PDB file of all heavy atoms in Angstrom:
ATOM      1  N   HIS J  36      11.927  13.999  -2.265  1.00 94.00           N
ATOM      2  CA  HIS J  36      12.857  14.518  -1.326  1.00 94.00           C
ATOM      3  C   HIS J  36      12.549  15.992  -1.051  1.00 94.00           C
ATOM      4  O   HIS J  36      12.681  16.421   0.133  1.00 94.00           O
ATOM      5  CB  HIS J  36      14.377  14.397  -1.728  1.00 94.00           C
ATOM      6  CG  HIS J  36      15.296  15.069  -1.026  1.00 94.00           C
ATOM      7  ND1 HIS J  36      15.734  14.625   0.161  1.00 94.00           N
ATOM      8  CD2 HIS J  36      16.146  16.122  -1.267  1.00 94.00           C
ATOM      9  CE1 HIS J  36      16.684  15.438   0.791  1.00 94.00           C
ATOM     10  NE2 HIS J  36      16.985  16.411  -0.120  1.00 94.00           N
ATOM     11  N   THR J  40      11.365  17.654   2.574  1.00 95.00           N
ATOM     12  CA  THR J  40      12.114  18.747   3.229  1.00 95.00           C
ATOM     13  C   THR J  40      11.149  19.809   3.632  1.00 95.00           C
ATOM     14  O   THR J  40      11.287  20.450   4.665  1.00 95.00           O
ATOM     15  CB  THR J  40      13.240  19.267   2.230  1.00 95.00           C
ATOM     16  OG1 THR J  40      14.058  18.168   1.970  1.00 95.00           O
ATOM     17  CG2 THR J  40      14.061  20.281   2.994  1.00 95.00           C
ATOM     18  N   LEU J  47      16.193  17.782   7.999  1.00 97.00           N
ATOM     19  CA  LEU J  47      16.467  16.452   7.302  1.00 97.00           C
ATOM     20  C   LEU J  47      16.161  15.343   8.243  1.00 97.00           C
ATOM     21  O   LEU J  47      16.066  14.089   7.896  1.00 97.00           O
ATOM     22  CB  LEU J  47      17.849  16.344   6.933  1.00 97.00           C
ATOM     23  CG  LEU J  47      18.451  17.294   5.818  1.00 97.00           C
ATOM     24  CD1 LEU J  47      19.910  17.172   5.722  1.00 97.00           C
ATOM     25  CD2 LEU J  47      17.658  17.014   4.531  1.00 97.00           C
ATOM     26  N   GLY J  67      20.157   9.664  -3.784  1.00 94.00           N
ATOM     27  CA  GLY J  67      21.353  10.029  -2.842  1.00 94.00           C
ATOM     28  C   GLY J  67      21.054  11.508  -2.353  1.00 94.00           C
ATOM     29  O   GLY J  67      22.034  12.083  -1.595  1.00 94.00           O
ATOM     30  N   LEU J  68      20.035  12.265  -2.582  1.00 95.00           N
ATOM     31  CA  LEU J  68      19.962  13.626  -2.219  1.00 95.00           C
ATOM     32  C   LEU J  68      19.961  13.756  -0.778  1.00 95.00           C
ATOM     33  O   LEU J  68      20.505  14.723  -0.163  1.00 95.00           O
ATOM     34  CB  LEU J  68      18.570  14.297  -2.882  1.00 95.00           C
ATOM     35  CG  LEU J  68      18.681  14.502  -4.393  1.00 95.00           C
ATOM     36  CD1 LEU J  68      17.419  15.363  -4.721  1.00 95.00           C
ATOM     37  CD2 LEU J  68      19.942  15.266  -4.740  1.00 95.00           C
ATOM     38  N   TRP J  69      19.172  12.878   0.010  1.00 97.00           N
ATOM     39  CA  TRP J  69      19.209  13.108   1.512  1.00 97.00           C
ATOM     40  C   TRP J  69      20.589  12.983   2.058  1.00 97.00           C
ATOM     41  O   TRP J  69      21.160  13.825   2.870  1.00 97.00           O
ATOM     42  CB  TRP J  69      18.221  12.024   2.105  1.00 97.00           C
ATOM     43  CG  TRP J  69      18.167  12.331   3.583  1.00 97.00           C
ATOM     44  CD1 TRP J  69      17.196  12.976   4.271  1.00 97.00           C
ATOM     45  CD2 TRP J  69      19.035  11.784   4.608  1.00 97.00           C
ATOM     46  NE1 TRP J  69      17.510  13.045   5.631  1.00 97.00           N
ATOM     47  CE2 TRP J  69      18.579  12.246   5.921  1.00 97.00           C
ATOM     48  CE3 TRP J  69      20.265  10.934   4.588  1.00 97.00           C
ATOM     49  CZ2 TRP J  69      19.310  11.916   7.016  1.00 97.00           C
ATOM     50  CZ3 TRP J  69      20.753  10.647   5.803  1.00 97.00           C
ATOM     51  CH2 TRP J  69      20.345  11.206   6.976  1.00 97.00           C
ATOM     52  N   ALA J  70      21.393  11.858   1.515  1.00 97.00           N
ATOM     53  CA  ALA J  70      22.702  11.640   2.009  1.00 97.00           C
ATOM     54  C   ALA J  70      23.616  12.895   1.731  1.00 97.00           C
ATOM     55  O   ALA J  70      24.405  13.177   2.580  1.00 97.00           O
ATOM     56  CB  ALA J  70      23.245  10.327   1.411  1.00 97.00           C
ATOM     57  N   ILE J  71      23.531  13.399   0.533  1.00 97.00           N
ATOM     58  CA  ILE J  71      24.369  14.554   0.090  1.00 97.00           C
ATOM     59  C   ILE J  71      24.017  15.712   1.071  1.00 97.00           C
ATOM     60  O   ILE J  71      24.947  16.432   1.547  1.00 97.00           O
ATOM     61  CB  ILE J  71      24.114  14.980  -1.314  1.00 97.00           C
ATOM     62  CG1 ILE J  71      24.592  13.692  -2.206  1.00 97.00           C
ATOM     63  CG2 ILE J  71      24.629  16.141  -1.599  1.00 97.00           C
ATOM     64  CD1 ILE J  71      24.352  13.865  -3.651  1.00 97.00           C
ATOM     65  N   ASP J  72      22.789  16.039   1.258  1.00 97.00           N
ATOM     66  CA  ASP J  72      22.399  17.110   2.145  1.00 97.00           C
ATOM     67  C   ASP J  72      22.762  16.870   3.537  1.00 97.00           C
ATOM     68  O   ASP J  72      23.318  17.878   4.264  1.00 97.00           O
ATOM     69  CB  ASP J  72      20.873  17.366   2.044  1.00 97.00           C
ATOM     70  CG  ASP J  72      20.363  17.999   0.892  1.00 97.00           C
ATOM     71  OD1 ASP J  72      21.301  18.379   0.045  1.00 97.00           O
ATOM     72  OD2 ASP J  72      19.142  18.013   0.531  1.00 97.00           O
ATOM     73  N   PHE J  73      22.677  15.783   3.920  1.00 98.00           N
ATOM     74  CA  PHE J  73      23.160  15.421   5.417  1.00 98.00           C
ATOM     75  C   PHE J  73      24.619  15.523   5.433  1.00 98.00           C
ATOM     76  O   PHE J  73      25.222  16.017   6.413  1.00 98.00           O
ATOM     77  CB  PHE J  73      22.731  13.889   5.880  1.00 98.00           C
ATOM     78  CG  PHE J  73      22.817  13.734   7.223  1.00 98.00           C
ATOM     79  CD1 PHE J  73      21.903  14.007   8.094  1.00 98.00           C
ATOM     80  CD2 PHE J  73      23.970  13.092   7.645  1.00 98.00           C
ATOM     81  CE1 PHE J  73      22.096  13.734   9.396  1.00 98.00           C
ATOM     82  CE2 PHE J  73      24.121  12.756   9.014  1.00 98.00           C
ATOM     83  CZ  PHE J  73      23.205  13.092   9.911  1.00 98.00           C
ATOM     84  N   ALA J  74      25.360  15.048   4.595  1.00 97.00           N
ATOM     85  CA  ALA J  74      26.846  15.233   4.506  1.00 97.00           C
ATOM     86  C   ALA J  74      27.267  16.747   4.413  1.00 97.00           C
ATOM     87  O   ALA J  74      28.307  17.087   5.158  1.00 97.00           O
ATOM     88  CB  ALA J  74      27.452  14.487   3.416  1.00 97.00           C
ATOM     89  N   ASP J  75      26.527  17.595   3.789  1.00 97.00           N
ATOM     90  CA  ASP J  75      26.704  18.998   3.847  1.00 97.00           C
ATOM     91  C   ASP J  75      26.547  19.654   5.171  1.00 97.00           C
ATOM     92  O   ASP J  75      27.313  20.475   5.600  1.00 97.00           O
ATOM     93  CB  ASP J  75      25.917  19.706   2.772  1.00 97.00           C
ATOM     94  CG  ASP J  75      26.499  19.513   1.335  1.00 97.00           C
ATOM     95  OD1 ASP J  75      27.644  19.456   1.148  1.00 97.00           O
ATOM     96  OD2 ASP J  75      25.782  19.610   0.399  1.00 97.00           O
ATOM     97  N   LYS J  76      25.538  19.103   5.747  1.00 97.00           N
ATOM     98  CA  LYS J  76      25.246  19.680   7.173  1.00 97.00           C
ATOM     99  C   LYS J  76      26.196  19.096   8.218  1.00 97.00           C
ATOM    100  O   LYS J  76      26.594  19.916   9.193  1.00 97.00           O
ATOM    101  CB  LYS J  76      23.746  19.137   7.578  1.00 97.00           C
ATOM    102  CG  LYS J  76      23.425  19.731   8.872  1.00 97.00           C
ATOM    103  CD  LYS J  76      21.909  19.292   9.214  1.00 97.00           C
ATOM    104  CE  LYS J  76      21.520  19.827  10.588  1.00 97.00           C
ATOM    105  NZ  LYS J  76      21.509  21.318  10.759  1.00 97.00           N
ATOM    106  N   PHE J  77      26.728  18.052   8.048  1.00 98.00           N
ATOM    107  CA  PHE J  77      27.655  17.455   8.951  1.00 98.00           C
ATOM    108  C   PHE J  77      29.053  17.019   8.238  1.00 98.00           C
ATOM    109  O   PHE J  77      29.313  15.905   7.966  1.00 98.00           O
ATOM    110  CB  PHE J  77      27.169  16.042   9.741  1.00 98.00           C
ATOM    111  CG  PHE J  77      26.131  16.499  10.668  1.00 98.00           C
ATOM    112  CD1 PHE J  77      24.612  16.280  10.105  1.00 98.00           C
ATOM    113  CD2 PHE J  77      26.216  16.768  12.007  1.00 98.00           C
ATOM    114  CE1 PHE J  77      23.706  16.486  11.000  1.00 98.00           C
ATOM    115  CE2 PHE J  77      25.114  16.998  12.707  1.00 98.00           C
ATOM    116  CZ  PHE J  77      23.906  16.822  12.384  1.00 98.00           C
ATOM    117  N   PRO J  96      29.889  15.642  -1.923  1.00 95.00           N
ATOM    118  CA  PRO J  96      30.738  16.066  -0.883  1.00 95.00           C
ATOM    119  C   PRO J  96      31.968  14.992  -0.629  1.00 95.00           C
ATOM    120  O   PRO J  96      31.572  13.807  -0.719  1.00 95.00           O
ATOM    121  CB  PRO J  96      29.787  16.301   0.297  1.00 95.00           C
ATOM    122  CG  PRO J  96      28.550  16.579  -0.369  1.00 95.00           C
ATOM    123  CD  PRO J  96      28.396  15.592  -1.476  1.00 95.00           C
TER     124      PRO J  96
END
Side-chain angles (χ1 to χ4, degrees):
H36 170 68
T40 304
L47 295 171
L68 288 187
W69 184 93
I71 292 170
D72 287 350
F73 190 85
D75 282 335
K76 181 175 178 61
F77 292 93

